[in-house]
């Protein structure tokens, strides 16, 4: 079977149009990409029945490609590759090139397209290639349509670009190992998160709008694996709604009208508010997970730098969550998030002996859980200087 170049191009355009029509949301999120690269190739033209022998099968390869994600793990990709030249006896050469189209599946590392620019990914590909062999001599050529198969790893290097390494086969007589640079227009790291611009400096802690019961002191975190001590809330099991639930507007108004009261010996900011104690605005997690957003990591890095300027201070990490249908979900999630925050601060040089952690779950809400704004206020990380 022979497939002409025009038919391969037409097939590529048809698949691309179908993807754009059926996946408009992905297309708008920067999930199409282009790339270019180079490498080495191994070429083995069939010299049977000719007067020539293969002298040099190694060559240089270069190519370009374009693709689009059609789901969180799958995509389609088209490529043109100049595979180089195979050297034959008598000084003759065979020039190889391939026009390819196929599918790509991300199977290792960060496979979710929404976070593809956050970490490395391993992928497999399978498709068809139209191979062209250009030479001044006649060689056997039974079929110029070949299986395009490969495996590779891609590594993000910025918000919308990264590196890719791949081993690919273009039928039995052409293989290539290439490294390339790809670009995803409009993409960004953590593009699937509800991210906001990074503030110019670490936001000042905000106070709790209502008095909160003080749980028992937590034990020091272990030196290697921080784990917060989980305490039952020191408040009645039945909490009247008027004591614990306020509107989003009331909570925001209270936060804006006052500042956190500093602990004894705690440094103050320019407005006379506590430098560390209070809610860490902007320190958030990806959905209902324990993964800090990139903004949250940036803010915690700045917080760690400030804490390292005051090595005598001991701080308590206090994590709260929204209400979940499963009663234990809130407590387990707040505990795991407290561990994540403590580990991140430790990774930024804060001594583990200076860190304590508490998991409050959903026992101390700042707003109702029936709105996105209320849940966002209830999912919070606080700091308290001891």
């Amino acid at each position: 079977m022979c497939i002409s170049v025009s038919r391969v191009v037409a097939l590529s355009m048809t698949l691309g149009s179908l993807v754009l029509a059926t996946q408009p949301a992905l297309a708008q999120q920067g999930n199409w990409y282009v790339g270019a690269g180079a490498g080495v190739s191994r070429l083995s033209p069939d010299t049977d029945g000719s007067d020539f022998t293969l002298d040099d099968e190694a060559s240089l390869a270069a190519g370009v490609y374009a693709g689009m994600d059609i789901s969180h793990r799958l995509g389609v990709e088209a490529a043109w590759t100049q595979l180089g030249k195979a050297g034959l006896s008598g000084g003759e050469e065979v020039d190889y090139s391939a026009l390819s189209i196929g599918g790509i599946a991300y199977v290792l590392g960060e496979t979710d397209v929404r976070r593809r620019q956050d970490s490395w990914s391993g992928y497999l590909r399978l498709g068809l290639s139209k191979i062209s062999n250009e030479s001044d001599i006649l060689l056997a050529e039974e079929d110029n349509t070949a299986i395009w198969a490969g495996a590779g790893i891609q590594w993000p290097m910025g918000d919308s670009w990264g590196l890719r390494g791949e081993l690919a086969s273009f039928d039995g007589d052409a293989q290539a190992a290439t490294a390339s640079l790809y670009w995803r227009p409009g993409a960004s790291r953590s593009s699937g998160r509800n991210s906001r611009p990074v503030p110019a400096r670490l936001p000042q802690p905000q106070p709790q709008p209502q008095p909160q019961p003080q749980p028992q002191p937590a034990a020091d975190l272990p030196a290697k694996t921080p784990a917060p001590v989980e305490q039952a809330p020191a408040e009645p099991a039945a909490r009247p709604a008027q004591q614990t639930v306020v509107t989003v507007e009331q909570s925001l108004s209270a936060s804006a009208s006052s500042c956190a009261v500093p602990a004894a010996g705690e440094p103050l900011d320019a407005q006379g508010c506590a430098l560390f104690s209070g809610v860490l605005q902007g320190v958030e997690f990806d959905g209902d997970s324990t993964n800090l957003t990139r903004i949250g990591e940036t803010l915690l890095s700045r917080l760690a730098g400030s804490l390292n300027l005051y090595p005598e201070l001991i701080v308590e990490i206090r994590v709260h969550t929204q209400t979940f249908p499963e009663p234990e979900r809130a407590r387990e999630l707040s505990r795991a998030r407290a561990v994540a925050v403590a580990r991140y601060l430790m990774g930024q040089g804060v001594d583990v002996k200076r860190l304590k952690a508490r998991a409050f779950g959903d026992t101390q809400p700042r707003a109702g859980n029936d709105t996105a704004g209320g849940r966002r206020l209830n999912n919070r990380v606080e700091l308290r200087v001891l």
Side-chain angles (χ1 to χ4, degrees):
M1 178 182 68
C2 289
I3 300 177
S4 67
V5 174
S6 60
R7 292 186 63 184
V8 174
V9 172
L11 180 59
S12 302
M13 295 178 64
T14 301
L15 284 176
S17 300
L18 180 61
V19 170
L20 286 173
T22 59
Q23 301 289 339
L26 285 176
Q28 294 172 4
Q29 293 175 5
N31 294 102
W32 65 273
Y33 56 92
V34 294
V40 296
S41 61
R42 175 183 175 274
L43 307 173
S44 304
D46 184 4
T47 58
D48 292 343
S50 71
D51 296 330
F52 299 91
T53 58
L54 179 63
D55 287 348
D56 187 4
E57 63 180 10
S59 187
L60 298 179
V64 295
Y65 55 87
M68 177 175 288
D69 301 300
I70 59 175
S71 73
H72 291 311
R73 290 176 178 265
L74 303 176
V76 293
E77 191 168 301
W80 178 84
T81 309
Q82 178 63 46
L83 292 165
K85 298 179 179 181
L88 304 180
S89 58
E92 297 292 343
E93 294 180 331
V94 180
D95 193 351
Y96 277 76
S97 63
L99 184 62
S100 313
I101 186 170
I104 182 170
Y106 296 89
V107 296
L108 296 174
E110 188 54 76
T111 58
D112 194 326
V113 67
R114 296 169 298 181
R115 301 184 60 184
R116 194 71 51 72
Q117 286 301 109
D118 287 343
S119 182
W120 70 274
S121 302
Y123 63 86
L124 299 174
R125 73 164 67 260
L126 185 65
L128 295 176
S129 289
K130 165 68 170 65
I131 297 180
S132 297
N133 299 338
E134 297 182 3
S135 176
D136 295 333
I137 61 176
L138 295 178
L139 293 176
E141 183 176 325
E142 297 180 356
D143 193 350
N144 61 356
T145 301
I147 297 296
W148 182 36
I153 295 177
Q154 69 178 33
W155 192 278
M157 302 297 291
D159 283 347
S160 57
W161 65 280
L163 298 176
R164 174 190 278 191
E166 179 176 324
L167 297 175
S169 174
F170 303 82
D171 211 356
D173 57 352
Q175 295 84 39
T178 57
S180 63
L181 182 70
Y182 69 84
W183 177 51
R184 289 177 173 266
S188 62
R189 292 196 180 194
S190 303
S191 58
R193 305 170 179 171
N194 295 323
S195 302
R196 301 187 307 277
V198 179
R201 65 186 183 91
L202 185 68
Q204 298 301 323
Q206 299 296 327
Q208 306 255 351
Q210 298 183 7
Q212 304 294 339
Q214 298 298 324
Q216 297 300 317
D220 288 340
L221 296 172
K224 292 185 178 180
T225 306
V229 174
E230 196 171 336
Q231 298 288 341
E235 60 181 50
R239 294 166 294 166
Q242 64 270 22
Q243 293 182 355
T244 59
V245 178
V246 297
T247 65
V248 175
E249 291 78 7
Q250 289 173 333
S251 180
L252 292 177
S253 175
S255 297
S257 61
S258 60
C259 61
V261 178
E266 180 176 358
L268 308 179
D269 62 13
Q271 288 74 39
C273 301
L275 185 60
F276 297 109
S277 295
V279 177
L280 298 180
Q281 300 290 351
V283 177
E284 298 177 352
F285 298 83
D286 183 12
D288 295 337
S289 74
T290 59
N291 300 320
L292 286 159
T293 63
R294 290 197 68 207
I295 292 176
E297 292 178 348
T298 299
L299 296 177
L300 286 180
S301 296
R302 298 177 185 176
L303 172 63
S306 298
L307 286 173
N308 288 333
L309 297 177
Y310 301 92
E312 74 283 358
L313 295 183
I314 298 176
V315 295
E316 183 178 70
I317 302 163
R318 304 158 66 90
V319 178
H320 305 261
T321 69
Q322 68 186 71
T323 297
F324 292 91
E326 304 83 3
E328 294 300 319
R329 171 63 174 157
R331 178 170 296 186
E332 293 173 357
L333 182 60
S334 63
R335 178 183 176 88
R337 286 179 171 179
V339 170
V341 172
R343 282 177 173 164
Y344 192 88
L345 292 175
M346 290 168 56
Q348 300 298 310
V350 179
D351 190 343
V352 67
K353 295 180 180 179
R354 301 175 55 199
L355 300 175
K356 298 179 182 294
R358 306 301 287 278
F360 289 85
D362 60 352
T363 62
Q364 297 182 8
R366 297 178 65 192
N369 283 278
D370 54 347
T371 66
R375 291 189 293 272
R376 190 169 189 173
L377 286 172
N378 294 335
N379 285 296
R380 65 193 187 275
V381 179
E382 301 171 353
L383 209 65
R384 179 187 178 202
V385 173
L386 302 180

